[in-house]
Amino acid sequence: MSTTPPYLIPSRLAKRTQYDTETICSILDEALFCVISYSVDNRPFAIPTAFVRYEDKIYIHGSVGSHFIREIEKGIPVCISIMLTDALVVAKSAFSHSVNYRSLTIFSKAEKIEDTETKRAAFEWLTNKIVPDSWEYLRPMKDNEVKKTTALAFSFEEASAKTRTGMPNDEEEDLELPIWSGLIPLQTNRLAPIADELSKNIPLPSHLM
């Protein structure tokens, strides 16, 4: 008998769903941002935020005064969602158009990080994910900056990935139509850095090249 919670079982196209740790971690490590959804007083909220995975948890941070942070740090249930798009799937009919994607849904609760050293480590992990190898180059965080920032961790034990790959799945009667079908690949690239006015005479550090 499956031990997967019913809310992680898809209502359609179940063959695209995966629960293995390798797939889940690969999506977490590639994505820079997620959306955290929650409910307060029967009102829904969905907040995009940067995150990082370290070992078996994901971490976010925010101002201690943030309404979003102050609500979810209480440990209320949240739904964390991520989607990476790899290609537009162009079929011979609009009905059969699709997207090649890798997505992730996580049900979890926040764990507030109280230990100062763990908080600093979480900030380092997140900083180096967003701008690789930048932590040591930057001015160190001040103690009061650490105190003004909340770090939250989330388990991803209750997570499911859903993916689509491949060419269009056209209807059989459409296969011989003289209409182009195929893929339009999509890609997110980091482009050349652009200096602000105060940095125009400062050499570009090696980690940004």
Side-chain angles (χ1 to χ4, degrees):
M1 181 179 294
S2 172
T3 58
T4 303
Y7 47 80
L8 287 178
I9 299 176
S11 59
R12 62 187 301 272
L13 296 176
K15 65 182 180 181
R16 294 183 182 169
T17 304
Q18 302 172 59
Y19 301 99
D20 64 284
T21 302
E22 182 178 356
T23 298
I24 290 169
C25 287
S26 69
I27 295 172
L28 289 172
D29 292 346
E30 182 173 342
L32 296 177
F33 308 100
C34 66
V35 175
I36 299 182
S37 303
Y38 60 101
S39 176
V40 176
D41 297 330
N42 290 319
R43 294 184 63 190
F45 296 85
I47 309 298
T49 188
F51 76 95
V52 64
R53 178 188 74 87
Y54 185 79
E55 295 181 345
D56 61 349
K57 292 182 180 179
I58 62 177
Y59 296 82
I60 70 167
H61 76 285
S63 168
V64 296
S66 163
H67 176 270
F68 160 55
I69 294 293
R70 286 189 286 111
E71 289 296 337
I72 66 173
E73 73 178 13
K74 299 173 184 176
I76 63 175
V78 301
C79 177
I80 303 171
S81 56
I82 297 166
M83 181 173 175
L84 302 171
T85 53
D86 298 317
L88 303 177
V89 181
V90 181
K92 296 182 184 295
S93 72
F95 180 79
S96 296
H97 276 25
S98 189
V99 176
N100 283 348
Y101 65 91
R102 291 161 290 148
S103 67
L104 191 60
T105 301
I106 300 170
F107 293 93
S108 192
K109 296 179 180 179
E111 170 194 344
K112 186 175 181 180
I113 305 302
E114 302 285 3
D115 177 69
T116 300
E117 291 308 309
T118 305
K119 281 179 68 175
R120 285 184 177 274
F123 300 152
E124 179 178 353
W125 301 330
L126 180 56
T127 300
N128 281 338
K129 181 182 182 182
I130 301 300
V131 183
D133 301 320
S134 63
W135 181 261
E136 294 297 330
Y137 174 80
L138 301 171
R139 186 264 289 162
M141 283 189 73
K142 300 175 183 177
D143 290 343
N144 68 323
E145 293 173 332
V146 175
K147 291 178 182 178
K148 291 178 181 178
T149 309
T150 299
L152 301 177
F154 300 86
S155 163
F156 51 90
E157 290 178 358
E158 294 188 357
S160 65
K162 195 171 183 182
T163 63
R164 187 200 189 280
T165 60
M167 289 292 179
N169 297 319
D170 279 302
E171 301 294 328
E172 187 172 355
E173 63 267 26
D174 293 340
L175 294 177
E176 300 304 320
L177 292 175
I179 297 173
W180 188 92
S181 57
L183 301 179
I184 302 175
L186 300 175
Q187 193 174 57
T188 300
N189 293 322
R190 294 181 186 243
L191 304 180
I194 301 172
D196 64 18
E197 288 297 323
L198 297 175
S199 300
K200 287 190 173 180
N201 295 320
I202 299 175
L204 189 68
S206 59
H207 67 272
L208 294 180
M209 294 181 179

